[in-house]
Amino acid sequence: MPMQKKFEVLPLAYPYNALEPYIDAETVRIHHDNHYKTYVDRLNAALENYPMYQSWSLERLLKNIGALPPEIQTAVKNNGGGAYNHGLYFSIMGPPQNKMPEGKLKNAIDQAFGSFDAFQQEFGKSALDQFGSGYAWLVAGRDGRLFIKNTANQDTVLPLGFCPVILIDVWEHAYYLKYQYRRADYIKNWFNVVDWDKAGLQYDGCLKKPF
Ligand SMILES: [Fe+2]
């Protein structure tokens, strides 16, 4: 029997404590090494007996959930979504740098929201208003226009036809150790650890690939 091709946890590009004082090392460690890894492990378990889908990318799986065998659709949606969302979340953060969006991403943010400040306010409000667990996203449409979207649980924006630029995890596990119930403080501080260079690359990718 051929070996199973497994999805993998993307390693952190920075030490656990690199996001301090905004996100504490313990939260990053548990969130990345336990929560994120569990989604990846469960996705691999769901696909264990379905070798033909192991070669699909996460994006392809999540955009085509309805094409999968019914008995694994929910597991792939939830755990594939968890794997995808956490991979992106950890990759678009980095040590605080006091940077802002530049180039095409800056222009698109100004066009869509008026200014970077106005974008942060609208995005923060959207993240705060997400009822229960989920995410707030900055996404690009096919023409490169930017929108803010929310998803619940581990849903992604991929089946909606949007290309993700950044996202914030507002599950309690993302902030509870340091912030307890104070989601608003976590969101406000989170902007300090967004790596806008990475976000810019993500947006450039959205403009290049047909979505
Ligand atoms: Fe999470």
Side-chain angles (χ1 to χ4, degrees):
M1 196 161 159
M3 267 237 306
Q4 183 184 3
K5 179 190 157 282
K6 296 203 167 173
F7 288 92
E8 289 180 357
V9 171
L10 302 176
L12 276 180
Y14 40 84
Y16 295 126
N17 65 358
L19 308 183
E20 290 189 346
Y22 304 109
I23 302 181
D24 58 290
E26 188 69 350
T27 295
V28 173
R29 187 182 64 73
I30 295 170
H31 197 180
H32 180 274
D33 294 2
N34 299 96
H35 289 279
Y36 174 21
K37 182 176 185 298
T38 299
Y39 290 115
V40 173
D41 289 346
R42 288 182 179 166
L43 173 64
N44 285 323
L47 294 176
E48 195 173 1
N49 296 319
Y50 299 84
M52 72 172 288
Y53 300 108
Q54 292 166 10
S55 60
W56 286 26
S57 67
L58 264 181
E59 285 91 340
R60 187 176 173 196
L61 286 169
L62 293 165
K63 280 185 200 169
N64 297 283
I65 291 288
L68 304 176
E71 65 274 19
I72 60 169
Q73 287 183 8
T74 301
V76 172
K77 178 169 174 273
N78 291 341
N79 298 299
Y84 181 85
N85 292 342
H86 286 97
L88 184 60
Y89 174 74
F90 287 110
S91 78
I92 56 90
M93 295 192 292
Q97 291 178 41
N98 259 332
K99 276 195 176 173
M100 287 168 59
E102 292 176 1
K104 287 178 190 165
L105 179 57
K106 178 195 183 311
N107 294 340
I109 285 175
D110 289 346
Q111 201 174 10
F113 307 103
S115 68
F116 182 53
D117 280 350
F119 156 71
Q120 285 182 296
Q121 280 191 21
E122 198 174 319
F123 186 91
K125 183 174 184 319
S126 203
L128 190 60
D129 287 348
Q130 171 59 34
F131 182 75
S133 298
Y135 295 83
W137 308 67
L138 176 67
V139 300
R142 286 169 204 277
D143 56 2
R145 257 185 75 193
L146 293 174
F147 303 90
I148 291 167
K149 296 282 170 195
N150 279 19
T151 56
N153 304 315
Q154 293 298 349
D155 290 354
T156 75
V157 293
L158 299 175
L160 308 175
F162 291 111
C163 181
V165 180
I166 60 170
L167 82 173
I168 181 170
D169 187 338
V170 292
W171 283 61
E172 284 188 343
H173 67 229
Y175 62 87
Y176 204 85
L177 283 182
K178 182 176 174 70
Y179 294 96
Q180 293 84 45
Y181 61 91
R182 298 186 302 277
R183 187 193 280 191
D185 291 347
Y186 157 66
I187 294 166
K188 185 163 155 267
N189 284 342
W190 177 80
F191 282 110
N192 291 293
V193 294
V194 175
D195 183 334
W196 288 106
D197 293 337
K198 293 263 182 66
L201 291 173
Q202 190 73 17
Y203 183 59
D204 289 347
C206 292
L207 297 177
K208 277 181 203 144
K209 69 181 169 192
F211 223 77

